[in-house]
Amino acid sequence: MESLSRMTNIEVAAILYEVADLLEIKGVRFKPQAYRRAAQAIETLPEDIGEIARKGSLDEVPGVGKSIAGKIREIVETGSLAYLSSLREELPEGVQHLTRLEGIGPKKAIALSRELGIRSVADLEAAAKAGRIRDLPGFAEKTEANILASIRVSKTAEERRLLGYILPIARDIERRLSSLPSVRRVSLAGSIRRRKETIGDVDILATSSRPEEVMEVFATLPGVSRVLARGMTKTSVVLATGVQVDLRVVEERHFGAALQYFTGSKEHNIAMRKLAIARNWRLNEYGLVDLSSGRTIAGEDEAGVYRALDLAWIEPELREDRGEVEAARAGTLPKLVGYDAIRGDLHVHTRWSEGTHSIEEMAEAARALGYEYIAICDHAEALHIARGLSPERLVDQVREIERINRAADDGFTVLSGTECNIGMDGNIDLPDSVLADLDVVVASVHSGFKQSEEEMTERVIAAMGNDHVTIIGHPTGRILLSREPYRIDLPAVFDAAAALGVAMEINAFPGRLDLSDVNARLACEHGVSFSLGSDAHNRKNLCSMEFGVATARRGWLTAADIVNTRPLSELPLILRS
Ligand code: DGT
Ligand code: CA
Ligand code: CA
Ligand code: ZN
């Protein structure tokens, strides 16, 4: 294959992210955000960036200006970037590895590198454990404990990837395999089929009249950097991004049982196997077999396995042994919200704050997705880093949205909104007079993550006490694989939300998925309603909604639990009622 297509979007983005990090460490202003914005756009782009570069249409990628476009061309053509190499040489070695850890800024990283010769996270861990860091000026014993905690979080990050980054790659492989004439069935399996928030490795299952050919195609797919094991029934490869993908080719008559087995989870399988054993049957990846007669009861299709065990079909998202097998037996499984049930996106950013596109562009993209409405929720002023809107600018934006809605007459509506900040004591950083003018008010915690559980809980409940607040944004503040949630008494928050009619957000941004599946289910048990928002910063990010729906499904939610499955006319009746 030509060298151009060997760089994946994620690898290109990784280089731009590193440039941003190094520029930031150097204290350069504005440029880091530009690189980061471009990187973010590229990693969520469904098309191949190399392909786009080849077609000469990089300027159509959101967030990519002329200068960065040139850098991207160099990356996809040569696989590296001279600018990055020169930045690396200017700074003490290894600082960019250190600043990736939560809580280590540029100053600290440079001090650690210069004073203690720390070049890597491993060096840092050893130094923190040996108590060598506390004596540096500006560091303390407590810093060492914080550093070790950040390292623990980042270690899980190395082993697992975000669903949102892996799913497009996995689907691409699935598509390429299913286009082979000899292939009859292909399915994703494992955690990716269950749409778990993070993925260890990708599992794919196929049937084919020519397994050898399938394995050959698979082992030589663009993006494959290493073949770990190759056989007629199973081949494992590692992609250039470090992701492992396992392909199993099974016989047609075993496909259903294999799909059931390799979809997992392991815990779900154990619960299933117990049911089989109780009937003197055996369940494994080859089928469901009656041990007394030797007869095969099911195996070719997955639904047959569930049916034979007197279970309703269990959606993959539920297969975690969290009561789904019992519910399937009792016929009490929820009818999960569908991936196509969302009628609008209630958390969207635009160029007015730190997004890439205009209100009209976001509306146009939302229309193309079949939505009936979107809520523009740019940041409010207190969040300086995100170029938040002053009350005056927000009023301007409300007028602009009114103008846009008047100009369009196709039934699509742009709602005016904000993502305002919940202050340290629960106050909202916009006056009531401005909030009263908005359709949707998402209130989020963006600062003071270190408060005690009591303070944080009171703070969020106080924010909901403001009559204008309709949704609590990303309610636990976690960043997957990077930042732990803040401490907060969720049952208390959920009770208050249910009583006040404030919705809890499931933020669909791949790195957030906040509320999580487990917390969403808990919230639902407390009678809370939900709002799904992509938190999109550009047009492409609107597609992240899918991951929010996946999280909702994993949290056992139905369409009725989610406000934005309703038509626009019903929203005012639901929000704050
Ligand atoms: P991951 O890759 O860590 O995100 O999670 P999974 O669930 O994809 O796990 P993986 O790739 O190790 O295995 C795929 C599926 O194969 C798993 O969900 C269930 C099945 N499986 C693997 N090992 C076992 C096992 O020891 N017992 C049972 N019952 N099932 C297993
Ligand atoms: Ca897996
Ligand atoms: Ca696997
Ligand atoms: Zn936010």
Side-chain angles (χ1 to χ4, degrees):
M1 290 285 299
E2 56 281 61
S3 66
L4 274 175
S5 63
R6 304 302 294 198
M7 291 292 282
T8 65
N9 289 14
I10 290 169
E11 289 169 301
V12 175
I15 290 177
L16 299 180
Y17 276 127
E18 190 177 345
V19 169
D21 288 347
L22 294 180
L23 287 172
E24 195 156 270
I25 292 167
K26 281 184 60 180
V28 175
R29 283 160 58 84
F30 305 121
K31 264 189 173 177
Q33 284 93 308
Y35 275 92
R36 218 161 265 143
R37 196 179 292 186
Q40 206 177 45
I42 289 167
E43 74 189 347
T44 51
L45 212 58
E47 301 91 17
D48 181 49
I49 190 73
E51 196 74 43
I52 295 173
R54 213 166 350 192
K55 280 191 293 192
S57 40
L58 279 173
D59 54 341
E60 283 163 29
V61 178
V64 173
K66 231 196 193 128
S67 139
I68 295 182
K71 303 278 195 295
I72 294 170
R73 263 194 306 276
E74 182 183 338
I75 297 169
V76 297
E77 278 163 18
T78 68
S80 61
L81 182 65
Y83 183 49
L84 174 59
S85 313
S86 73
L87 282 171
R88 277 183 181 156
E89 273 166 28
E90 276 177 56
L91 287 159
E93 204 183 319
V95 284
Q96 76 274 23
H97 303 306
L98 306 183
T99 53
R100 259 185 225 138
L101 294 170
E102 178 77 16
I104 304 224
K107 272 203 200 118
K108 280 195 176 138
I110 291 174
L112 289 164
S113 178
R114 291 231 166 96
E115 308 299 324
L116 297 176
I118 289 171
R119 301 276 183 265
S120 66
V121 174
D123 289 354
L124 183 65
E125 185 172 14
K129 280 190 175 150
R132 288 198 289 127
I133 292 173
R134 64 190 67 170
D135 299 330
L136 280 184
F139 291 79
E141 223 176 296
K142 211 176 105 215
T143 330
E144 285 174 352
N146 289 342
I147 286 172
L148 289 172
S150 303
I151 293 175
R152 268 196 302 279
V153 177
S154 76
K155 275 192 176 156
T156 18
E158 277 165 31
E159 291 149 19
R160 304 193 64 82
R161 316 286 164 131
L162 299 180
L163 172 69
Y165 296 155
I166 302 279
L167 190 57
I169 298 170
R171 280 187 178 140
D172 181 57
I173 298 175
E174 190 187 10
R175 223 175 1 251
R176 286 169 192 264
L177 294 177
S178 61
S179 72
L180 299 174
S182 77
V183 167
R184 234 194 101 206
R185 299 209 263 183
V186 187
S187 176
L188 300 181
S191 53
I192 200 155
R193 182 167 180 236
R194 305 198 310 279
R195 301 290 192 267
K196 211 175 146 175
E197 62 195 23
T198 63
I199 304 298
D201 67 9
V202 175
D203 301 282
I204 305 180
L205 225 55
T207 66
S208 168
S209 52
R210 302 179 59 196
E212 230 162 327
E213 177 201 60
V214 180
M215 293 309 192
E216 169 65 21
V217 168
F218 178 66
T220 56
L221 284 174
V224 167
S225 73
R226 222 148 36 97
V227 178
L228 295 176
R230 179 149 173 196
M232 285 282 279
T233 55
K234 183 183 174 190
T235 295
S236 295
V237 302
V238 179
L239 305 180
T241 44
V243 182
Q244 184 179 327
V245 185
D246 296 340
L247 171 66
R248 291 179 177 83
V249 177
V250 302
E251 284 181 44
E252 208 68 52
R253 65 197 166 102
H254 297 148
F255 185 78
L259 185 57
Q260 196 285 318
Y261 180 89
F262 289 111
T263 295
S265 65
K266 194 170 153 183
E267 292 71 20
H268 173 84
N269 288 352
I270 290 168
M272 292 283 287
R273 204 170 321 128
K274 271 194 197 141
L275 292 182
I277 289 168
R279 303 177 184 211
N280 197 29
W281 293 351
R282 183 187 62 213
L283 175 62
N284 60 22
E285 64 265 50
Y286 300 106
L288 185 60
V289 173
D290 182 341
L291 289 176
S292 51
S293 67
R295 190 175 59 92
T296 296
I297 299 162
E300 183 155 359
D301 84 305
E302 191 188 46
V305 174
Y306 287 92
R307 227 175 9 246
L309 291 166
D310 288 328
L311 299 174
W313 159 256
I314 300 176
E315 305 267 10
E317 291 90 333
L318 297 181
R319 300 184 195 173
E320 300 291 345
D321 194 25
R322 295 176 183 156
E324 73 280 7
V325 175
E326 294 77 2
R329 211 168 173 180
T332 55
L333 281 171
K335 186 174 180 329
L336 299 183
V337 55
Y339 283 99
D340 56 359
I342 302 300
R343 295 192 193 223
D345 193 326
L346 293 180
H347 188 163
V348 169
H349 295 274
T350 73
R351 207 151 62 196
W352 285 64
S353 66
E354 93 282 30
T356 311
H357 289 112
S358 67
I359 300 170
E360 286 101 328
E361 286 169 325
M362 294 305 276
E364 197 47 53
R367 252 191 216 99
L369 291 174
Y371 287 154
E372 295 167 23
Y373 50 87
I374 49 167
I376 304 300
C377 297
D378 279 313
H379 288 289
E381 196 167 35
L383 202 63
H384 292 299
I385 50 160
R387 292 198 286 141
L389 302 189
S390 66
E392 296 72 33
R393 287 270 293 154
L394 183 52
V395 170
D396 288 347
Q397 192 186 52
V398 173
R399 300 290 160 258
E400 171 77 2
I401 289 171
E402 284 168 359
R403 191 190 61 72
I404 292 169
N405 282 330
R406 269 196 308 272
D409 55 357
D410 59 352
F412 183 90
T413 305
V414 180
L415 299 170
S416 55
T418 176
E419 181 183 9
C420 53
N421 304 292
I422 301 177
M424 296 299 274
D425 54 359
N427 65 309
I428 299 295
D429 64 341
L430 283 171
D432 282 351
S433 59
V434 174
L435 293 175
D437 247 6
L438 304 173
D439 302 308
V440 171
V441 175
V442 178
S444 310
V445 170
H446 288 119
S447 59
F449 300 123
K450 294 247 152 79
Q451 282 184 326
S452 70
E453 182 175 318
E454 294 72 38
E455 286 169 323
M456 187 62 87
T457 307
E458 271 179 39
R459 173 182 178 186
V460 173
I461 292 177
M464 291 192 283
N466 182 316
D467 285 346
H468 302 292
V469 171
T470 43
I471 296 162
I472 296 297
H474 43 74
T476 75
R478 72 158 176 183
I479 304 292
L480 279 164
L481 308 178
S482 149
R483 189 170 80 204
E484 296 287 350
Y486 40 71
R487 287 165 294 175
I488 187 164
D489 179 355
L490 285 176
V493 170
F494 296 156
D495 284 338
L500 293 163
V502 172
M504 286 288 134
E505 181 176 71
I506 295 179
N507 187 296
F509 203 77
R512 287 197 184 270
L513 302 182
D514 182 9
L515 296 173
S516 67
D517 50 5
V518 172
N519 286 333
R521 189 167 172 198
L522 180 69
C524 190
E525 286 162 5
H526 283 258
V528 164
S529 61
F530 297 85
S531 165
L532 264 57
S534 66
D535 204 348
H537 287 61
N538 62 49
R539 288 184 294 216
K540 301 273 169 173
N541 289 164
L542 287 170
C543 299
S544 299
M545 183 61 83
E546 171 183 8
F547 312 119
V549 178
T551 303
R553 287 166 64 86
R554 290 178 55 85
W556 293 51
L557 302 190
T558 67
D561 298 316
I562 298 167
V563 297
N564 44 328
T565 59
R566 307 296 183 89
L568 183 65
S569 57
E570 291 179 21
L571 277 193
L573 300 175
I574 297 164
L575 293 172
R576 238 23 239 209
S577 63

